[in-house]
Amino acid sequence: MTSPSPDYYAVLRIPRGATQQEIARAYRALMRRHHPDVASGDAVPAELQPIMEAFAVLRDPQRRAAYDAEFPGTPSAAGDSARQPQDIPVRVVRPREPPFRVTPVRWESGPWA
């Protein structure tokens, strides 16, 4: 007997009709929240595996269609039609200044000139 597959939509906290952009944003936000290098140190690496599995299936349209056909009545499907899309915040980090400064060359006069 095989164990039932988890509800990948619930793992990523997105509705079943989510777009590819919503899937990617949810994945990035959850990875930032649970990744041990980025999080405050209290992250559990075991929580990353279901997130990565869910993203691997849902980002590929063919695998997603096969998953939806295999599990049409998952618990997250109930009430999704009335549910509004969830806005998942993604922090964009931009550098404040360039890593190095380019200035014009100033030629010096010396004994060789």
Side-chain angles (χ1 to χ4, degrees):
M1 179 179 213
T2 61
S3 63
S5 179
D7 182 12
Y8 292 142
Y9 294 102
V11 170
L12 291 181
R13 301 177 187 152
I14 55 174
R16 290 187 69 83
T19 64
Q20 291 295 324
Q21 182 180 13
E22 290 173 332
I23 292 169
R25 288 179 62 116
Y27 171 73
R28 282 189 225 110
L30 288 171
M31 287 300 286
R32 273 204 189 99
R33 187 175 301 139
H34 295 292
H35 198 279
D37 292 341
V38 179
S40 62
D42 57 349
V44 179
E47 294 175 351
L48 296 175
Q49 188 65 32
I51 295 169
M52 290 187 292
E53 285 178 13
F55 182 66
V57 170
L58 296 181
R59 75 177 177 156
D60 183 16
Q62 295 169 341
R63 291 177 69 186
R64 182 178 180 185
Y67 174 78
D68 289 341
E70 186 178 350
F71 301 104
T74 56
S76 68
D80 274 344
S81 60
R83 193 170 154 198
Q84 296 296 324
Q86 180 183 6
D87 186 28
I88 300 170
V90 175
R91 185 179 64 161
V92 177
V93 179
R94 292 187 178 95
R96 294 181 186 234
E97 59 185 51
F100 56 90
R101 184 179 302 173
V102 178
T103 60
V105 177
R106 293 180 14 182
W107 297 99
E108 296 180 8
S109 60
W112 55 84

